[in-house]
Amino acid sequence: RITFPGVNRTSGDQHYRDYVVRAFNTDKPYDRFITEQLAGDLLPPAKSRGDYLDQIIAPAFLSIGSWFDMETDPNRLRLEMVDEMINTTSKAFLGLSVSCARCHDHKFDPIPAADYYALGGIFRSTKLVAEFSDYWRDGRVRQLRPLAMPDEVAANEVIHQQIAGRQREWWKILTERHAEMMSTWNADEPRYRTAASKITRPFVKLFEAEDFSGQSGLRIAQLMRDGKGVEVIETLLPKAQWVKYIHEVPETAQYRLDALYSTEDRTPLTVTVNGAVITKEALSTPTGGADLKFQRWQTVGTFELREGMNFIRLDAKEGNFPRLDRFRLYKVDAKVEEHIRSFATAEKLHPMLLANFVYDPQDPWPPVAGIEPYLDGAARAPSADITGECERLAQKITPYEMAISVTDQPTPADLPIHPRGSTYRVSDETVPRGVPRLLSHALRSPTIPANHSGRLELAEWLTDRQNPLTSRVMVNRLWHWHFGRGIVATTSDFGSRGAAPTNPELLDWLAATFAGGMGVPCLH
């Protein structure tokens, strides 16, 4: 039996590692082992829960490789991801370094560049990440999938659709209420500005979320709102995320920090000021979605700052960090707040809106998602009812652990040859998705349908009993693990530059026996 004592597991590869150990300990047939890792998600769903979850988990083989952490060109990053899959698959199962043909025809083995890009089309048609935009590092957030049976996923999806329907109603109500309020407020804007000018403005500091002094696990993303670019900070890696700000204030006093944010999650933020925890529940209320149209203002916390420099830090241990756009940091002044209330009463103005004109006169208007606190009780009731129903529905969703997985891209595509491996120099024609031709004398190359990535066909080609390399590579690895040296000493290189077998007849006999047994337990 295989165990990994003392291994410090991480959520990224734990499920896949357990799958490999389970496959060896249960003598999973080797052809099935290969097929699940390359195309488990494309196989008909297994009837037993354990077998089906193995199909979901196994293709993480393609996803958990190390891509260039500092690669800032998204197009090059995509090619690096393809190269990682080609290199790992070809070395693991064929004992060949096909990646040497990325820039030009292989110098030593009969692998032309066209064969590299034929495999490249298969893996470029494989989706590894849930979101891949043109922003730096977006491609490194692996795609996840719930560890649940299809009927369990479907049941949760029904509830999600019900919630989405009610949220559309909620948004319609808020949009209508916002339009009604804004029509009145726009007409009264001169009165609000006149009243605000009569109130002594306290210390206020407005700053952008991306103007931080340090961060971890976050990224700066450029989004669009009303035709204009907006920079926000948001999740890059969904755990151990934090952002820190350093601000100078003129006197020791109580200050309040408000944030303009959007989120669809309930990830609470821990707020630490000068080393002291202020709250562990900041910004944990969903705004209706992560899109910028769902932005609203909410107080992060009220706390004492000392005269001079202060450190404010927001932490999330796991989950998605809210999208943060802007902050307002202002001194809490009882006299100012009383003046706002009295002026609002005397002039028949909304006190919350008047406060906005005092603290942030350049952007005083509440967004649609933030209009609810400005409504009276009767106008707020329908929205509250819908929100409550969504809460009750959400409690019916069964949470499942998530695992790294892959799927096919919606539209599979072939790749052109990239001379010298250049990201932006390409051949005029694309190379049809396929397998290396160096084994065409031994077995037929598969035909890949237009709507298939080709991963399943590649797995079937690798596990074909006529494939002369797959079985030889594996039995040689087994020999190496047992005796410390393989019959071929270069266990991942069966090419012309690799070591010659010390006993070719023994290797052939072991491979023939092994290949004849594929489909029955043969890993021990």
Side-chain angles (χ1 to χ4, degrees):
R1 296 183 63 82
I2 296 177
T3 59
F4 292 105
V7 170
N8 181 21
R9 292 182 174 181
T10 64
S11 60
D13 60 6
Q14 172 184 343
H15 294 296
Y16 175 71
R17 181 167 46 242
D18 288 350
Y19 162 80
V20 173
V21 173
R22 192 163 53 248
F24 274 75
N25 288 343
T26 59
D27 279 336
K28 184 184 288 286
Y30 187 56
D31 51 354
R32 180 73 180 189
F33 185 58
I34 292 177
T35 303
E36 286 180 344
Q37 291 180 92
L38 291 179
D41 58 300
L42 303 178
L43 296 172
K47 294 182 179 179
S48 77
R49 185 181 187 87
D51 289 343
Y52 176 71
L53 297 187
D54 274 358
Q55 291 179 215
I56 294 175
I57 295 167
F61 167 81
L62 299 172
S63 182
I64 60 177
S66 57
W67 307 323
F68 290 167
D69 285 342
M70 302 307 291
E71 179 56 66
T72 59
D73 184 338
N75 294 314
R76 181 172 174 81
L77 177 58
R78 289 183 176 94
L79 294 179
E80 295 300 338
M81 293 162 65
V82 167
D83 186 71
E84 173 75 25
M85 288 185 277
I86 292 175
N87 192 43
T88 302
T89 301
S90 63
K91 283 185 175 180
F93 303 127
L94 292 174
L96 293 174
S97 180
V98 175
S99 284
C100 291
R102 176 177 180 175
C103 301
H104 45 68
D105 292 348
H106 201 295
K107 291 185 177 181
F108 305 108
D109 296 327
I111 306 173
D115 282 8
Y116 174 92
Y117 288 98
L119 280 174
I122 292 175
F123 292 121
R124 182 66 184 87
S125 300
T126 301
K127 185 178 180 183
L128 304 186
V129 297
E131 173 189 0
F132 199 125
S133 74
D134 288 340
Y135 300 118
W136 184 37
R137 289 190 170 186
D138 279 5
R140 291 173 181 81
V141 181
R142 267 70 165 177
Q143 183 173 232
L144 301 177
R145 185 169 175 177
L147 291 177
M149 297 296 285
D151 59 327
E152 295 169 335
V153 174
N156 276 355
E157 182 59 30
V158 169
I159 299 174
H160 281 299
Q161 291 175 358
Q162 292 173 342
I163 293 174
R166 296 299 281 161
Q167 286 178 332
R168 285 192 292 271
E169 295 179 36
W170 171 83
W171 187 251
K172 183 174 183 292
I173 291 172
L174 289 188
T175 302
E176 292 172 350
R177 297 291 185 270
H178 185 267
E180 294 168 1
M181 301 290 281
M182 287 299 297
S183 65
T184 302
W185 288 342
N186 284 326
D188 290 338
E189 181 177 354
R191 296 174 57 223
Y192 277 97
R193 295 201 178 276
T194 299
S197 67
K198 298 177 182 179
I199 299 172
T200 301
R201 190 173 186 241
F203 171 85
V204 179
K205 188 166 188 177
L206 309 174
F207 60 97
E208 300 294 331
E210 63 271 18
D211 294 337
F212 47 73
S213 61
Q215 64 85 21
S216 178
L218 302 173
R219 64 185 171 198
I220 298 175
Q222 293 182 331
L223 308 177
M224 298 298 294
R225 180 180 60 204
D226 300 329
K228 297 180 180 179
V230 176
E231 288 190 335
V232 300
I233 61 172
E234 62 181 20
T235 294
L236 170 63
L237 301 172
K239 61 179 180 178
Q241 304 159 82
W242 59 266
V243 62
K244 180 175 69 175
Y245 300 94
I246 301 177
H247 291 295
E248 184 176 6
V249 297
E251 61 179 311
T252 299
Q254 289 288 309
Y255 292 82
R256 183 171 294 127
L257 181 66
D258 294 341
L260 181 62
Y261 78 109
S262 60
T263 182
E264 58 187 350
D265 297 326
R266 296 181 176 276
T267 302
L269 299 185
T270 296
V271 181
T272 306
V273 177
N274 296 328
V277 175
I278 303 303
T279 178
K280 295 183 178 180
E281 298 295 331
L283 306 185
S284 60
T285 304
T287 62
D291 191 272
L292 293 188
K293 76 174 185 178
F294 296 112
Q295 284 185 327
R296 72 181 183 205
W297 286 96
Q298 184 166 313
T299 296
V300 175
T302 301
F303 38 78
E304 181 179 278
L305 296 181
R306 61 196 177 212
E307 179 183 352
M309 293 297 181
N310 295 266
F311 300 86
I312 303 173
R313 175 166 161 154
L314 285 65
D315 286 82
K317 291 185 178 180
E318 57 184 16
N320 288 321
F321 213 80
R323 274 181 170 162
L324 294 174
D325 184 357
R326 298 175 54 218
F327 288 98
R328 298 170 179 162
L329 177 66
Y330 54 94
K331 178 186 173 185
V332 177
D333 190 317
K335 291 183 178 180
V336 172
E337 292 180 353
E338 177 56 35
H339 286 164
I340 291 173
R341 285 192 294 269
S342 61
F343 269 94
T345 301
E347 300 294 331
K348 297 183 179 180
L349 302 174
H350 198 293
M352 292 178 62
L353 186 60
L354 180 56
N356 291 348
F357 276 92
V358 173
Y359 298 127
D360 190 2
Q362 297 301 314
D363 186 22
W365 309 112
V368 175
I371 196 64
E372 194 168 351
Y374 295 80
L375 305 176
D376 59 30
R380 195 183 301 178
S383 176
D385 291 343
I386 292 174
T387 301
E389 184 178 350
C390 288
E391 295 274 357
R392 291 189 292 274
L393 285 170
Q395 293 175 0
K396 297 180 180 179
I397 296 175
T398 302
Y400 294 105
E401 196 171 0
M402 305 296 286
I404 293 174
S405 190
V406 306
T407 60
D408 274 359
Q409 296 283 9
T411 305
D414 298 328
L415 282 182
I417 294 175
H418 290 247
R420 296 183 177 272
S422 170
T423 303
Y424 296 102
R425 288 183 59 207
V426 297
S427 60
D428 293 334
E429 297 182 355
T430 58
V431 180
R433 299 189 300 285
V435 300
R437 288 168 287 178
L438 80 166
L439 301 181
S440 59
H441 65 284
L443 71 164
R444 186 175 61 181
S445 297
T447 299
I448 300 175
N451 62 340
H452 288 200
S453 65
R455 283 188 290 127
L456 184 57
E457 289 77 11
L458 171 61
E460 292 170 346
W461 177 81
L462 284 169
T463 56
D464 191 310
R465 287 179 173 80
Q466 300 303 312
N467 190 310
L469 284 177
T470 306
S471 57
R472 283 177 172 79
V473 169
M474 188 56 185
V475 296
N476 186 64
R477 293 189 191 281
L478 292 171
W479 193 273
H480 170 81
W481 294 333
H482 278 288
F483 299 110
R485 178 184 173 88
I487 300 170
V488 175
T490 52
T491 54
S492 293
D493 188 358
F494 274 48
S496 61
R497 304 289 286 183
T502 57
N503 192 326
E505 294 79 8
L506 175 60
L507 181 63
D508 289 346
W509 182 82
L510 290 171
T513 304
F514 187 76
M518 284 203 290
V520 298
C522 55
L523 284 176
H524 55 281

